[in-house]
Amino acid sequence: EWFPLPIFFIFHIDDRAWNSVCPLVIRLKKLYGFSLRLERALQSLLESLTCPPYTPTQHLEKEQALAKQFAEILHFTLRFDELKMRIPAIQNDFSYYRRTISRNRINNMNLDIEREVNNEMANRMSLFYAEATPMLKTLSTATTNFVTENKTLPLENTTDVLSTMASVCKVMLETPDYTCRFNSEDTLLFCMRVMVGVIILYDHVHPNGAFNKSSKIDMKGCIKVLKEQPADNVEGLLNALKFTTKHLHDESTPKNIRSMLQ
């Protein structure tokens, strides 16, 4: 015969789940806040690396510390999104959190955590984490907004910085004289993530995208160098090129490039 669970036992289970989820929600809020800081930092770096009178190449040569910071942001972004895609529990836990605070609001119960993550903040966080690659989406939007808001700045100033960084990373990855100097696999992964990151940003801000024949990025060479690496190291990066770029499926994208990413 089936007996319903005692009501105190149900509350005990809910209590344990709630106490586990709350610290995670606080952490998710911090990471969401960090994404907003990255957005501002990226736009500030773009401003410094594209402003006249220097060319993008001159900027990258003269301001290597800024270029390194730009690269560090992209590396973190790709790493974060790779991990996020492997943890579907993030959205499940956050959905549970939102359902619980909604139910408690109906019952006129105020929870302490709502002072940290209220309904408005929860809505913004929900939109952020609903993206397959939330950090990349944030940076792509930030780069697009930078170009849109700086109408007097030639578009080429921004796209040339991105394409030059992609070319530098590709050359480093495909040249044994450079790769043999890498201290660890982490340096290799750093180069690959930065290369993929700047390709995605370029694809979002250039009207014809990164895959077009007129693109200043050697997409065939970039994809080839990724595919030469161990599959476990590049699966997330190849997926990022497939699913977070804007122009891959345009008619102008050469078929051989499209087939390389299938």
Side-chain angles (χ1 to χ4, degrees), residues 84-208:
K84 189 264 179 187
M85 282 197 277
R86 293 179 196 168
I87 311 174
I90 288 174
Q91 280 165 277
N92 297 336
D93 289 347
F94 197 64
S95 295
Y96 169 75
Y97 170 79
R98 294 187 75 201
R99 284 197 307 274
T100 304
I101 59 171
S102 296
R103 187 170 66 236
N104 285 329
R105 200 176 298 112
I106 291 167
N107 296 329
N108 291 318
M109 291 170 64
N110 291 318
L111 300 171
D112 289 343
I113 193 170
E114 283 202 74
R115 286 197 286 271
E116 284 274 354
V117 182
N118 60 25
N119 196 46
E120 185 188 344
M121 172 59 74
N123 287 339
R124 292 205 298 269
M125 287 169 62
S126 183
L127 288 171
F128 176 75
Y129 287 108
E131 295 287 344
T133 52
M135 288 283 181
L136 259 178
K137 170 72 173 173
T138 298
L139 295 196
S140 298
T141 304
T143 309
T144 304
N145 289 344
F146 172 79
V147 168
T148 307
E149 289 161 12
N150 291 273
K151 292 186 176 5
T152 57
L153 187 73
L155 175 64
E156 291 72 27
N157 286 31
T158 304
T159 53
D160 283 358
V161 164
L162 299 173
S163 61
T164 302
M165 287 182 73
S167 298
V168 168
C169 290
K170 181 180 80 76
V171 168
M172 288 178 73
L173 289 164
E174 68 187 3
T175 309
D177 284 351
Y178 290 129
T179 52
C180 71
R181 293 183 218 166
F182 290 170
N183 295 325
S184 67
E185 188 179 69
D186 288 345
T187 311
L188 198 70
L189 288 167
F190 180 90
C191 269
M192 290 193 291
R193 288 186 184 124
V194 174
M195 182 179 76
V196 169
V198 289
I199 288 169
I200 290 166
L201 296 187
Y202 182 102
D203 192 60
H204 275 264
V205 297
H206 196 287
N208 299 324

Side-chain angles (χ1 to χ4, degrees), residues 22-34:
C22 285
L24 298 175
V25 169
I26 298 296
R27 196 179 303 170
L28 290 176
K29 182 194 173 188
K30 286 179 181 173
L31 287 165
Y32 168 67
F34 189 61

Side-chain angles (χ1 to χ4, degrees), residues 20 29 75 78 112 129 139 196 217 237 239 243 253 259:
S20 298
K29 182 194 173 188
H75 173 250
L78 271 292
D112 289 343
Y129 287 108
L139 295 196
V196 169
I217 297 177
L237 297 174
N239 282 338
F243 303 122
T253 299
S259 64

Side-chain angles (χ1 to χ4, degrees), residues 30-50:
K30 286 179 181 173
L31 287 165
Y32 168 67
F34 189 61
S35 77
L36 301 179
R37 287 166 56 198
L38 283 186
E39 183 178 1
R40 292 191 292 272
L42 185 91
Q43 290 184 322
S44 176
L45 286 167
L46 278 173
E47 194 172 337
S48 298
L49 291 169
T50 58

